[in-house]
Amino acid sequence: MVDSTSNQAMADEDQSKKAEEDQNKKKTNNPKSYQVRKECIKRKSMELATLCDIKVCTVITGPNGELQTWPDNLDACKEVLDLYSQNLKPEKKHKESSTPIPKPEEEQGEKDLLSIVESKLVAVNRRIRFLENKNIALADKGKRKRIE
């Protein structure tokens, strides 16, 4: 009896595996499913390009091995792929130094920018202290609860 029960369990397991494999084959080989997914990918690529104002290229391999691209213009796809491959190349380092030596006018511009940022920081810190004091004063009067 033990053998027939274990054989039955193994047969059920094999049958469920076969059913699962058949389901996966149906999903991957279904031309309608492929078309729906392909159109969705193209639509999302178009939305990404429009909403983010970036160059997008999509390359889709079909179930029969054919390649399809979006945009359909191959020159536009090649341009995006070239930009992508250029961004992957590491930057060449200078033999003398890895940090560039700033020019005198660049140094002055950086100093001006730094002084502007510091003055803005001082103003922000003053405003924070003012709001904190105002919050404490209101809490002391009992009109409002102190906001943490």
Side-chain angles (χ1 to χ4, degrees), residues 6-20:
S6 63
N7 286 340
Q8 180 65 30
M10 289 172 58
D12 289 342
E13 190 176 309
D14 288 341
Q15 194 173 22
S16 67
K17 284 183 181 178
K18 286 181 184 177
E20 192 175 308

Side-chain angles (χ1 to χ4, degrees), residues 64-76:
N64 298 332
E66 74 273 4
L67 287 178
Q68 295 184 357
T69 62
W70 183 89
D72 294 329
N73 181 0
L74 293 178
D75 292 333

Side-chain angles (χ1 to χ4, degrees), residues 87 110 128 135:
N87 288 332
E110 289 174 0
I128 288 172
N135 189 22

Side-chain angles (χ1 to χ4, degrees), residues 123-141 144-148:
V124 168
N125 284 333
R126 268 192 246 134
R127 182 70 178 165
I128 288 172
R129 278 185 299 222
F130 170 75
L131 292 173
E132 286 174 342
N133 291 337
K134 185 177 179 182
N135 189 22
I136 292 171
L138 289 174
D140 290 342
K141 289 182 180 180
R144 295 186 186 168
K145 292 182 181 178
R146 184 174 178 187
I147 301 171
E148 295 292 327

